[in-house]
Amino acid sequence: MDDRKWMKEAITEAEKALSEHEVPVGAVIVKDGQIVTCAHNRCEAEYDPTAHAELLAMKSAYTKLGSLEGCTLYVTLEPCAMCAGAMLHMRLPRLVFGAFDPMCGCCGSRIDLTDHWFDHSVETIGGISEQTCRALLTRFFQSIRSE
């Protein structure tokens, strides 16, 4: 699998979020070498704190495909507990993320909900294109602090 190629697509989604004054997180679901769906954070636009990029992408892909079997989720930031829980419930087989999140990350940083805690585990790879993903987040939070 070409994880960096697909992470570039997720970064493009994160850039869309940044342009919409959302926390710049982007997600892409890939199956059989094809993008199934893309999403970016929409929490502010939808007045919905659950409108995380990865959750929106997984819900859309699940609706299209009926399951996430054979899919990989690419997301620019390590998922939180809510999104990690959704991955388990939807039985996502594989996760690839960019930047680690030491404050809220639940796929290896703070805790790892994806690995052998439940009846389903998610193969997880972190740190792909981490510097680029982190730079978008840094830019966003610096812009908020300067306002």
Side-chain angles (χ1 to χ4, degrees):
M1 291 202 172
D2 191 356
D3 292 338
R4 290 195 189 285
K5 171 186 172 183
W6 301 119
M7 186 59 73
K8 283 182 184 178
E9 298 292 333
I11 290 167
T12 297
E13 286 296 313
E15 290 168 341
K16 290 178 188 176
L18 183 65
S19 74
E20 296 171 9
H21 308 289
E22 299 274 357
V23 176
V25 178
V28 175
I29 302 270
V30 174
K31 182 175 182 177
D32 299 327
Q34 299 290 317
I35 292 176
V36 175
T37 191
C38 300
H40 56 274
N41 272 7
R42 305 258 318 137
C43 297
E44 300 299 321
E46 296 186 14
Y47 301 100
D48 179 359
T50 69
H52 290 194
E54 56 270 54
L55 194 56
L56 295 173
M58 286 188 294
K59 287 166 59 174
S60 175
Y62 199 93
T63 299
K64 286 180 183 178
L65 302 173
S67 97
L68 297 183
E69 184 178 331
C71 292
T72 299
L73 167 63
Y74 293 88
V75 62
T76 58
L77 180 64
E78 179 182 0
C80 67
M82 174 183 68
C83 295
M87 288 186 284
L88 294 169
H89 285 287
M90 291 187 214
R91 304 188 77 70
L92 179 77
R94 187 167 185 267
L95 163 69
V96 177
F97 67 85
F100 287 86
D101 184 352
M103 298 288 287
C104 299
C106 289
C107 300
S109 289
R110 219 47 186 155
I111 190 169
D112 191 351
L113 296 176
T114 63
D115 189 26
H116 307 295
W117 286 97
F118 302 97
D119 67 340
H120 177 72
S121 294
V122 180
E123 177 191 347
T124 301
I125 299 167
I128 302 297
S129 303
E130 183 172 14
Q131 289 180 326
T132 304
C133 296
R134 176 134 344 265
L136 285 169
L137 292 161
T138 299
R139 192 165 123 203
F140 174 78
F141 287 111
Q142 284 177 341
S143 73
I144 287 176
R145 290 183 190 109
S146 67
E147 290 178 356

